[in-house]
Amino acid sequence: MEMTTAKKASKVDYRAKIIQGYIEYVLEHGQEPPSVFKFAKDLKMKEEDFYSYFTSFEGIKSAVWTRLFEETLGNLESQEVFKEYSAREKLLGFLFTWIEELKKNRSYLLASYQSQKNTKGVLPMEVKAFRDKFKDFANEIILEGKETEEIANRPLISDRYDEALWLQVWFVFQFWLKDTSPAFEKTDAAIEKSVNLAFDLMGKSALDTFVDFAKFLYQNK
């Protein structure tokens, strides 16, 4: 019985091994592996075993983003106080926690996205599953905000609030990639100012917050 238990405990998580192996390859070579065959061989796996978990490198990149979301949300929901947060506080909590997860993967994310010129206009394919998961989370926040009247319910416009919050998340990611301030303190400021702006726009008054945020962006462009 003990030997059986030990075997189960030592069972390899091949999915996690593939993801970590891909990240390490990108960091060591500055590009993705030349082929699935070569990558699987380096991991001492058969190519057909690789396809049991992923059909392409695109799938691995998507899994990295999905893991970032799941670990962020898991960390948030493990905190009892999170349930008591207002809608604004929940979005702030998500972004600050998400940045902590991004820091653990900064070298990989810089290698993958820092030199890409089109991330502002075209969302990378592998990020779309992350976006969909975030928008589901955002819609829960928005619904809570409407119930507490923290968020105004405006015909037509309020149906696009989730997309607006997603654009904010993608803005924060791109800002963080370029941030060279100690402990990424400018990213922290960008999060606070952008979230305050978003909730003022979705709420009652926005002009003062908009001017403050515009000034911050101008000073840090």
Side-chain angles (χ1 to χ4, degrees):
M1 180 67 72
E2 290 181 0
M3 288 182 67
T4 302
T5 304
K7 284 182 180 179
K8 287 183 179 179
S10 62
K11 187 176 180 181
V12 177
D13 183 346
Y14 285 103
R15 190 174 190 278
K17 181 180 178 179
I18 291 170
I19 294 172
Q20 190 57 38
Y22 179 84
I23 290 173
E24 290 177 3
Y25 189 98
V26 170
L27 290 175
E28 290 171 4
H29 299 87
Q31 60 185 20
E32 69 180 22
S35 69
V36 170
F37 172 80
K38 177 67 167 61
F39 178 62
K41 185 177 180 181
D42 289 344
L43 291 180
K44 297 180 171 53
M45 295 176 62
K46 294 180 180 179
E47 183 174 3
E48 58 263 37
D49 292 336
F50 171 93
Y51 292 123
S52 297
Y53 302 93
F54 298 100
T55 57
S56 66
F57 293 137
E58 198 75 33
I60 301 176
K61 292 188 286 186
S62 179
V64 172
W65 280 95
T66 298
R67 187 174 68 180
L68 285 169
F69 177 85
E70 290 173 349
E71 291 184 353
T72 298
L73 194 59
N75 287 336
L76 276 176
E77 292 181 340
S78 67
Q79 304 170 27
E80 279 297 317
V81 68
F82 179 70
K83 299 174 185 176
E84 309 302 321
Y85 282 174
S86 66
R88 185 187 303 240
E89 289 169 336
K90 284 184 176 178
L91 182 58
L92 281 169
F94 178 90
L95 288 172
F96 283 127
T97 305
W98 181 54
I99 289 296
E100 292 305 310
E101 292 301 323
L102 293 183
K103 288 177 187 177
K104 299 175 186 177
N105 298 273
R106 183 167 174 84
S107 294
Y108 165 76
L109 293 168
L110 284 174
S112 300
Y113 301 102
Q114 188 177 40
S115 62
Q116 290 190 13
K117 302 295 184 183
N118 66 340
T119 52
K120 288 185 179 179
V122 180
L123 186 69
M125 184 68 68
E126 67 270 16
V127 183
K128 291 184 177 180
F130 173 90
R131 178 194 61 187
D132 292 344
K133 287 179 177 293
F134 172 79
K135 288 175 76 171
D136 288 341
F137 170 73
N139 277 315
E140 292 179 10
I141 292 177
I142 291 164
L143 182 59
E144 290 177 17
K146 288 178 179 178
E147 289 174 351
T148 60
E149 297 186 350
E150 186 181 358
I151 294 174
N153 189 8
R154 300 184 177 97
L156 300 178
I157 296 176
S158 58
D159 290 340
R160 303 292 294 167
Y161 282 163
D162 61 340
E163 181 65 19
L165 294 184
W166 160 249
L167 292 175
Q168 181 179 15
V169 168
W170 195 236
F171 156 76
V172 167
F173 174 67
Q174 292 178 80
F175 190 97
W176 174 78
L177 282 179
K178 296 182 290 184
D179 190 2
T180 58
S181 63
F184 303 107
E185 56 192 27
K186 287 186 178 179
T187 296
D188 289 347
I191 289 172
E192 288 194 23
K193 292 177 184 294
S194 64
V195 169
N196 285 336
L197 172 61
F199 273 84
D200 283 350
L201 286 170
M202 292 188 295
K204 308 273 181 175
S205 172
L207 185 57
D208 290 340
T209 309
F210 179 82
V211 171
D212 184 40
F213 185 54
K215 187 186 300 182
F216 171 81
L217 287 182
Y218 177 79
Q219 292 170 345
N220 292 282
K221 66 179 181 178

